[in-house]
Structures are given as structure tokens and as C-alpha cells.
Amino acid sequence: MGRARTIDKGRLFHETEQLILSSGYAGFHFKALAGRLGVARSTIYNYYSKKEELLTDFMVHLLEQVVEKIDKVSRQDDAVEGLIRLWGQYAYMHQMMQVMPYIDKKATKQVEKSAEKMAALLAEMRGKVKVILQQEQQAGRIREDIHIDTMVGYVMASVQIPVRQHSEESWVEEVTLLVKGGLQK
Amino acid sequence: MGRARTIDKGRLFHETEQLILSSGYAGFHFKALAGRLGVARSTIYNYYSKKEELLTDFMVHLLEQVVEKIDKVSRQDDAVEGLIRLWGQYAYMHQMMQVMPYIDKKATKQVEKSAEKMAALLAEMRGKVKVILQQEQQAGRIREDIHIDTMVGYVMASVQIPVRQHSEESWVEEVTLLVKGGLQK
DNA sequence: ATTTAAAATGACACTTCTGTCATTATAATA
DNA sequence: TATTATAATGACAGAAGTGTCATTTTAAAT
């Protein structure tokens, strides 16, 4: 019994993502979110009592998705290409992550907890990339004259290479060539 | 005659930069800025009547510096290494640029004008990097099987490889090796 | 049809940033 | 020392976001 809910976590997350991508952290507030959802602002407080809680909860959700996919990638044949392909799919994640530093992590206990989880997931992500590169090193496919953490940073940074003048597939192809072989002939 | 100014554009720019680097766009407002400068908030309005004007004016200033330095780099022996070294010096510029999308560019005519100039300077920057890469191609030092714009994006993205566990010099060295030669042995 | 539990809502008080302006302070000049 | 031009300041009104709560709406159960 009782009245049926008009919004669910799925829509909440989807509109949160869209709002941040279009307006950034400064433009992310419950008034704008309510407008997108077609409900009154106060309605959102029935789901999350602070915008920081909604945001960090969503971020954790997003990172968990990506970490899971990295696991699949690491079991693939060409793991480096797999990573680049994953970056292509989650290119917007990076933009989402950039709002992290501005979140007041001490807003509530819940936020604090989610923030810790986010940090842990990001570390896990870097760790998994590192393992992949080390596997490639052992297979003799990757150089050993450079600090492994620099190479991890290098692979992670490639997510930011802008695309989208050609197809996503050709982006993956070209970026993989560059990350593996560099600029040189 | 008249009272002497207590702040100048140099300090204004410096504190603007520091404030954005530490608090992002959300934390950039005249109250915080006045605190850093040690003056009343209303004092800043004697210099800039909108925060968007101050911000865009500063951005133009910053971009002009970098564009000028790219010119020097392009006349260097190893231009690609020169670019990476420049990225090392201006690593924070990228973080500054990320606030651009959130600026209300129609705040005033002045802001509109500066925003146009910023876009032009960014395009000029990319253009200069492109020319450098084309020169390297003609010298036979760089591959020709990948869209030039993808390569420009690749070089620009390398600014985001995190450093700073080792020295800045070893960052330049390692990142140059990676950008030129990739991960492969 | 009535009851009821849960969800949605609008109104209210609060906080923070914005932009202006009359007043006050100060350095140079007469 | 008195004058004057310019800079700095605090106070004010306004705009926008936050979080709460009493009231209203609605779907299901009786």
C-alpha cells in the first residue's frame, strides 16, 4: 500500500550524470536536478538528504562498473588494446571524476564512507592497470626501462585524447598504436 | 595624487590562480579572494566588476604565455621533448582550463570578448603543436599512418600524466621516451 | 466507499554570494 | 597645513541554493 514512487535510483543516477556532464559541479544542484526529473525539489530529499550523498553514491556505482570491466579486460588476449577500448567507452568517467576534489567529504558520515570507497576503487583501478602492465612486461612485450607508475599514468592519461571526428573504432585503433608504439616510425 | 593602490594585477592573478588550484571553480568567489589578498571584498570591484571578467582576463594572460613558449620550443632541436618539458612546467594550466566550460561567457561584453580570445589561443596552441608534428614528419622522424589530429591529442594528453614521485626532470625524460617510443620494447 | 501508509509538494527560515553606494582613509599637491 | 583626487571600506538589498516540515495527493487494502 501507499503511493507509488515517481522516480527511481536509475533515473536519479542518469540525470545526475547528464547534469554534471552538461553543467559541471557548479551547476549540479537539486533545483536543476528536480527540473530534469520533473518533480519538486523537495521530492529528491526523500531519496538523498544531501547532494554530496547522491553524488558520491553515484560515483561509487560508476567506478564499480569500470573496475569490473577491467577484470574482464585483463583476461583478454591483447590487454592493452582492451584497456584503450574501455577508455573509449567510459571517456566521460574522467570528466565525472574531476568533480571529486570539490566535494565536501565531511558533509555526513555516509558521504565520508562513500568518499573512502571511491578512493579505494580508484586505487584498485590503478592497481589493476599496473598488474596488466607487469604481465605484459613478463611476456616480454613491454619495456622495463621506465618506472612502472609512470607507465600506468601514461596509459590512464590516454583516456583524454579527444576523438570523435572519426569513428570510435578508429579512435581505439589509432590510440592503441600510439600507446604501444609512440610517435616514432 | 590620490591614494595609492594596495593591490595590483600581478597579485590579483597570482591569488586567482592559487585559489582555483586549491578550491576549483566552485570555491572561486570574491569573498575567498579578498581574504587571500587581505582587502575588503568590495575593493576587488574597483578592479573587476565581475568575477568572470577577472577569470577570463587571467586565462588569456596564461594562454598567451604558453603560446609564446611553444614558439620557442618549435625552433628547438628536439621539439617533441621541448613540448613535454613545457607541459611539465605548465601542468597546472590544464587544471585551470577545466573551469572554462562553467564560465558564463555572456556575463558582460568584456567576458564575451575574452572568451573568444581564449578559444582562439587554444586553437592556436593546437595549431602550433600540429605544425611541430608535421615538421617532424617531414624530417622522417614521426609516423604517417595515423591522423595528425589524433597525434596532436596524444601529445596534449601527456600533460596529464601525474608525476612528482621522482624529480620533474626524470618525468620529462620518461614521458618523452613514452610519447616518442610507446610502451613497446 | 473508506481507510491508511507512503510519497510528493509548497512554504518557510536560513545561509552564502553578488553588486552598489555613501562614507571614510590616504597620498600627493598647492 | 589645507585641499583634492583616488582608493578602500562596511552596510545594504537582492538573488540563489539548502534543508525541514506540515499538508496534500495517491495507490492499495479493507
Side-chain angles (χ1 to χ4, degrees):
Chain A
M1 61 184 78
R3 187 168 171 178
R5 289 187 166 234
T6 52
I7 50 179
D8 59 11
K9 217 171 236 193
R11 279 191 68 209
L12 218 42
F13 280 1
H14 180 252
E15 295 303 337
T16 294
E17 179 181 297
Q18 290 303 307
L19 183 55
I20 290 198
L21 291 181
S22 71
S23 316
Y25 187 60
F28 173 73
H29 42 74
F30 278 7
K31 193 189 173 192
L33 193 58
R36 280 175 172 270
L37 289 162
V39 298
R41 183 177 58 87
S42 58
T43 301
I44 303 176
Y45 285 90
N46 294 328
Y47 298 79
Y48 287 95
S49 56
K50 288 239 170 208
K51 70 171 178 176
E52 285 86 1
E53 281 182 15
L54 165 54
L55 203 48
T56 52
D57 210 34
F58 168 65
M59 298 279 210
V60 166
H61 167 79
L62 186 61
L63 283 171
E64 279 173 344
Q65 275 190 307
V66 176
V67 165
E68 199 179 313
K69 295 216 176 170
I70 291 185
D71 274 332
K72 282 186 195 162
V73 162
S74 68
R75 290 190 293 274
Q76 242 174 259
D77 206 46
D78 189 338
V80 172
E81 193 200 320
L83 277 179
I84 304 294
R85 174 160 286 125
L86 190 59
W87 292 171
Q89 282 161 13
Y90 282 88
Y92 64 92
M93 186 194 68
H94 166 262
Q95 203 178 330
M96 292 288 324
M97 285 304 130
Q98 284 171 349
V99 313
M100 264 189 74
Y102 310 144
I103 299 173
D104 175 19
K105 278 130 195 160
K106 286 173 187 163
T108 66
K109 288 277 166 199
Q110 232 243 56
V111 171
E112 210 162 340
K113 217 171 137 188
S114 291
E116 278 165 26
K117 192 154 192 183
M118 282 168 68
L121 282 163
L122 274 174
E124 192 180 341
M125 211 171 125
R126 283 185 68 85
K128 284 182 191 295
V129 172
K130 192 169 180 171
V131 168
I132 288 175
L133 293 183
Q134 283 167 334
Q135 283 170 351
E136 294 291 301
Q137 276 184 329
Q138 271 161 22
R141 286 193 285 270
I142 283 188
R143 61 200 305 165
E144 290 167 350
D145 58 337
I146 288 178
H147 289 100
I148 185 83
D149 289 323
T150 305
M151 289 199 287
V152 171
Y154 171 74
V155 171
M156 304 282 277
S158 65
V159 75
Q160 308 220 46
I161 301 174
V163 213
R164 285 110 227 216
Q165 32 197 358
H166 327 102
S167 68
E168 182 171 310
E169 186 51 37
S170 86
W171 181 86
V172 172
E173 214 172 282
E174 293 197 339
V175 173
T176 303
L177 279 172
L178 283 171
V179 169
K180 284 184 180 172
L183 294 172
Q184 273 166 4
K185 277 202 169 170
Chain B
M1 63 181 77
R3 185 167 171 179
R5 289 185 168 235
T6 52
I7 50 179
D8 58 13
K9 218 171 235 195
R11 279 191 68 208
L12 217 40
F13 280 1
H14 180 253
E15 296 302 338
T16 294
E17 179 180 298
Q18 290 303 308
L19 183 55
I20 290 198
L21 291 181
S22 71
S23 316
Y25 187 60
F28 174 72
H29 42 73
F30 278 7
K31 192 188 174 193
L33 193 58
R36 280 174 173 272
L37 289 163
V39 298
R41 185 177 57 87
S42 59
T43 300
I44 303 177
Y45 285 89
N46 294 327
Y47 297 79
Y48 288 95
S49 56
K50 288 241 173 210
K51 68 173 179 175
E52 285 85 3
E53 281 183 15
L54 165 53
L55 204 47
T56 51
D57 210 34
F58 168 65
M59 298 279 211
V60 166
H61 167 79
L62 186 62
L63 282 171
E64 279 173 343
Q65 275 189 306
V66 176
V67 166
E68 198 179 313
K69 294 215 175 172
I70 291 186
D71 274 332
K72 282 186 194 161
V73 163
S74 68
R75 289 191 294 274
Q76 242 174 258
D77 206 46
D78 188 338
V80 172
E81 192 200 320
L83 277 179
I84 304 295
R85 175 158 290 142
L86 190 58
W87 291 173
Q89 282 161 13
Y90 282 88
Y92 65 92
M93 187 194 68
H94 167 261
Q95 204 179 329
M96 293 288 323
M97 285 304 129
Q98 285 172 347
V99 314
M100 265 188 74
Y102 310 145
I103 299 173
D104 175 18
K105 277 129 196 161
K106 285 172 187 163
T108 67
K109 287 277 167 201
Q110 233 242 57
V111 170
E112 210 163 340
K113 217 171 137 189
S114 292
E116 278 165 25
K117 193 155 193 184
M118 282 167 68
L121 283 163
L122 274 174
E124 192 180 342
M125 211 169 125
R126 284 187 68 86
K128 284 182 191 296
V129 172
K130 192 169 180 171
V131 167
I132 288 176
L133 292 182
Q134 283 167 334
Q135 283 171 351
E136 294 290 302
Q137 277 184 329
Q138 271 159 23
R141 285 192 286 269
I142 282 187
R143 61 199 305 164
E144 289 167 350
D145 58 337
I146 289 179
H147 288 100
I148 186 83
D149 289 323
T150 305
M151 290 198 287
V152 170
Y154 170 74
V155 172
M156 304 281 278
S158 65
V159 75
Q160 308 219 46
I161 301 174
V163 214
R164 285 107 228 218
Q165 31 197 359
H166 327 103
S167 68
E168 182 172 310
E169 187 51 37
S170 86
W171 180 87
V172 172
E173 213 172 281
E174 293 197 338
V175 172
T176 303
L177 280 173
L178 283 171
V179 169
K180 284 184 179 172
L183 293 172
Q184 273 166 4
K185 278 201 168 172

